[in-house]
Amino acid sequence: MPVQPAGRGRNPYETEGVERGADGIARYVDRPDSIVHMLHASVQRGRDATALVEVGGPRLTYGELWDRAARVAGGLRAAGVRSGDRVALRLPNGADWVVAFWGIQLAGAVAVPVNTRFKEAEVAYVVEDSGAAFVFAPGAPLPDGEPFVIDGLTRADLAAIFYTSGTTGFPKGAMTSHANFLANVESAIRCVGIDRTEGATLATLINVPLFHVTGCNAQLLVMTELGGRTFVLTNPLDLEGFLRTVGEEGIQMLTSVPAIYHALTRHPQFAQTDLRHVRWVSYGGAPIAADAVHRIMAAFPDARVGNGFGLTETSSLTSFLPHEEAAEHADSVGFAMPVVDLAIDEPDDETGVGELLVRGENVVGGYWNKPEATAATFVDGWLHTGDLARIDDDGLLSIVDRAKDMINRGGENVYCIEVENALAGAPGVSEAAVVPVPDEMMGEKVGAVIVPAGDDTDVAAIIAHVRERIADFKVPQYVSLRAEPLPRNPGGKVLKAQLREDTEWGEPLR
């Protein structure tokens, strides 16, 4: 049976310049041919305007950013990189990451941002799976050559592959086209309500990782199209640097995860920071309680506050909860973007809850090198998100649970099976199950219920074993030892809802 999109209700976002194709997908018209063309337009409008600032580091104008990226592109081409080749980007947040990203684009190659917290085995998997022809390695100089700028890029061309955690324990690369990027940029501008004529006067501060779609797609690329200033913190947890930059540089746009706002508003310097110029404060990427939303609104009284919801597979934004709705509907993730259709698959007759499906110009083309996963997730033009949701008559989307076995730790997705695989071979572990533990700051943290193999269980040794195998944000911060076998259904599947209810966690590990 064909999927029926949910009604848009009282969706507040501007739909002018949106056309629906014969395939049913809505698209923005009059967009650039690629993000390279997008950057070039901003360079032409203001070559001497500040484009990029690494907090505590270099500042680059749009002209300097273009010229440096073109030399990186030339260096890549001299190293044998050709159009469509994948290039892994392992650099930390900073000016070099941005220059390298644009160098990859100007070379006509495909950027593969790599999570800097991955262990070497995880990095090796991404590099090998993507077939990367070149790797930007930490500490190594950027490639340099005669300036080169690719010609003939189109919106349909592949621009990047963002790897997201996988339900099988292996990351999956979401294939992001130039059209996907450009659609997300336009959606971000519309949902926040930015006047393009003042774009060159605006500034944003990135403190989330650039290898995530929030930092790259919803901040860096949005500000690049506007021709404004992008400030990048090299250490996402540098709260003092965050507040100092906001105050001294007149930052108007903030986007981060709830955990950062939780920490910022409790920082001793927060009360002394001049926040009057902050006009937009967006949050997302992790669960948030209604009272936390109200605290953000109180902390930034002169700003429009909103909640963005999206996935790697939707190139960032799927929906957005605007300021006018934020207080009353704090448990919602808002209205669909103008080029996004939402649907609920097999909704419950009483609650209306079912799996959230998404269709739109922002939805990626599938998973790199994963035809079976692609076929299972992208069906007849619809992305099956694995999120359980409902949509009310006004068009407000609420995420109520996850069909996937996943923990959202402050914006980092942790698939339980990855952690359970690492626990399986740990000394003294007979059985293990991983579940989310509610946390006021992070939304959720990783908890492990372990059935010991003997009487002498060394939790520290188990955690050390796990830490050697997976990124630190996936390592359990809570451990509960259980004498009885894990509860299972008749088919042998662990009953995790029961585990969450029955387990007393105690204090987190140090």
Side-chain angles (χ1 to χ4, degrees):
M1 180 181 297
V3 174
Q4 294 299 318
R8 299 189 71 84
R10 52 183 178 87
N11 193 300
Y13 304 125
E14 178 59 58
T15 58
E16 183 179 352
V18 175
E19 293 182 354
R20 193 172 295 275
D23 56 2
I25 295 177
R27 295 176 176 87
Y28 295 116
V29 298
D30 298 327
R31 299 294 288 136
D33 290 335
S34 71
I35 59 172
V36 170
H37 291 87
M38 180 190 82
L39 171 62
H40 188 250
S42 292
V43 173
Q44 289 184 308
R45 288 196 309 270
R47 185 175 180 85
D48 295 328
T50 299
L52 174 67
V53 180
E54 179 182 301
V55 177
R59 291 175 177 247
L60 299 177
T61 66
Y62 274 92
E64 290 168 338
L65 175 60
W66 179 267
D67 293 344
R68 286 188 59 184
R71 293 194 64 87
V72 169
L76 288 173
R77 300 289 290 201
V81 174
R82 293 295 177 260
S83 298
D85 284 351
R86 280 74 59 207
V87 176
L89 183 46
R90 294 193 58 194
L91 304 180
N93 269 25
D96 279 356
W97 193 101
V98 178
V99 171
F101 176 85
W102 283 117
I104 295 168
Q105 300 303 322
L106 266 60
V110 178
V112 183
V114 181
N115 191 321
T116 57
R117 298 173 72 176
F118 275 0
K119 295 294 185 182
E120 285 303 317
E122 295 169 302
V123 171
Y125 176 84
V126 169
V127 171
E128 181 179 352
D129 184 70
S130 66
F134 188 91
V135 178
F136 284 88
L142 299 183
D144 189 25
E146 290 298 315
F148 179 86
V149 178
I150 191 71
D151 187 34
L153 283 175
T154 71
R155 297 180 203 173
D157 288 325
L158 187 61
I161 301 174
F162 288 88
Y163 274 78
T164 182
S165 294
T167 53
T168 60
F170 296 101
K172 296 176 294 189
M175 298 188 293
T176 308
S177 68
H178 287 273
N180 296 150
F181 274 136
L182 291 163
N184 185 74
V185 168
E186 181 67 19
S187 289
I189 292 172
R190 293 191 183 206
C191 74
V192 173
I194 298 172
D195 183 346
R196 286 176 177 271
T197 62
E198 59 178 344
T201 68
L202 300 179
T204 191
L205 174 61
I206 299 178
N207 86 307
V208 296
L210 281 163
F211 57 73
H212 274 178
V213 293
T214 299
C216 180
N217 306 14
Q219 290 189 268
L220 173 64
L221 296 187
V222 171
M223 194 53 62
T224 301
E225 169 144 356
L226 291 170
R229 297 171 295 152
T230 298
F231 290 77
V232 180
L233 276 173
T234 56
N235 177 7
L237 298 180
D238 179 10
L239 301 181
E240 291 187 10
F242 187 112
L243 292 170
R244 183 174 60 253
T245 304
V246 169
E248 294 179 357
E249 300 286 356
I251 305 293
Q252 299 103 327
M253 303 183 69
L254 299 178
T255 300
S256 198
V257 295
I260 292 297
Y261 292 121
H262 181 281
L264 281 173
T265 54
R266 288 161 174 76
H267 194 278
Q269 293 183 9
F270 184 81
Q272 285 74 50
T273 303
D274 183 1
L275 301 172
R276 288 173 295 179
H277 42 264
V278 178
R279 296 169 58 187
W280 297 279
V281 175
S282 300
Y283 57 92
I288 187 169
D291 61 342
V293 175
H294 300 152
R295 284 197 296 269
I296 292 173
M297 298 183 79
F300 297 92
D302 299 315
R304 291 180 57 81
V305 174
N307 182 9
F309 166 74
L311 307 162
T312 305
E313 291 88 345
T314 63
S315 311
S316 187
L317 282 170
T318 298
S319 65
F320 190 82
L321 183 72
H323 180 81
E324 290 78 12
E325 312 285 344
E328 185 178 353
H329 299 286
D331 58 344
S332 169
V333 293
F335 302 98
M337 295 294 93
V339 292
V340 169
D341 292 315
L342 304 177
I344 301 297
D345 191 33
E346 298 183 358
D348 180 84
D349 290 338
E350 293 185 6
T351 65
V353 172
E355 184 183 8
L356 175 65
L357 309 185
V358 180
R359 179 177 68 177
E361 187 182 18
N362 58 323
V363 175
V364 303
Y367 297 122
W368 177 265
N369 206 26
K370 297 280 189 298
E372 292 182 0
T374 296
T377 306
F378 301 85
V379 182
D380 296 330
W382 290 88
L383 166 67
H384 288 244
T385 67
D387 288 313
L388 299 180
R390 63 172 174 266
I391 302 171
D392 69 15
D393 293 339
D394 288 331
L396 283 166
L397 171 66
S398 296
I399 307 299
V400 300
D401 203 349
R402 284 184 295 275
K404 295 177 181 177
D405 195 8
M406 184 185 75
I407 296 168
N408 189 318
R409 183 189 178 277
E412 295 273 16
N413 289 341
V414 180
Y415 279 92
C416 297
I417 193 169
E418 295 181 84
V419 188
E420 290 164 351
N421 286 345
L423 283 165
V429 175
S430 174
E431 289 187 288
V434 172
V435 295
V437 180
D439 182 80
E440 181 182 5
M441 179 176 179
M442 304 300 289
E444 295 174 334
K445 288 186 176 179
V446 182
V449 180
I450 295 173
V451 179
D455 296 331
D456 188 16
T457 302
D458 187 342
V459 172
I462 293 171
I463 295 301
H465 174 93
V466 172
R467 197 176 296 279
E468 291 177 356
R469 287 159 174 79
I470 56 177
D472 59 350
F473 66 87
K474 303 175 186 176
V475 176
Q477 292 178 274
Y478 290 85
V479 172
S480 176
L481 301 181
R482 177 184 174 97
E484 305 83 12
L486 296 176
R488 298 178 183 271
N489 66 16
K493 185 176 181 180
V494 175
L495 301 174
K496 293 199 171 180
Q498 181 178 330
L499 271 185
R500 291 198 297 268
E501 294 177 4
D502 294 348
T503 304
E504 296 287 341
W505 290 107
E507 294 299 317
L509 302 177
R510 300 298 181 187

